[in-house]
Amino acid sequence: MYNMICENLHLSVEQVMAELDISRSTVFRDYAKIKKVTGAVYDKKTSTWTL
């Protein structure tokens, strides 16, 4: 998921769900882990990631 974010800063939750065949809750659980380790932040208003 982190590599996907690095390649596309406009990656949506729906795109991650479809690409990895995982649920919305799994995306957010994994996102929380990525945020804790890397500091990556998702802005819901602009639908972009900041690394």
Side-chain angles (χ1 to χ4, degrees):
M1 190 168 140
Y2 180 72
N3 290 336
M4 292 172 64
I5 294 167
C6 289
E7 292 175 11
N8 180 5
L9 294 179
H10 295 284
L11 187 68
S12 71
V13 171
E14 289 76 16
Q15 288 171 308
V16 174
M17 289 170 54
E19 182 73 25
L20 300 178
D21 193 30
I22 58 177
S23 69
R24 181 176 294 276
S25 60
T26 300
V27 171
F28 284 108
R29 183 176 54 245
D30 290 351
Y31 161 63
K33 292 175 188 175
I34 290 170
K35 181 179 178 182
K36 187 174 183 178
V37 172
T38 67
V41 178
Y42 183 71
D43 184 342
K44 293 179 186 177
K45 291 180 182 178
T46 62
S47 300
T48 57
W49 291 87
T50 304
L51 302 177

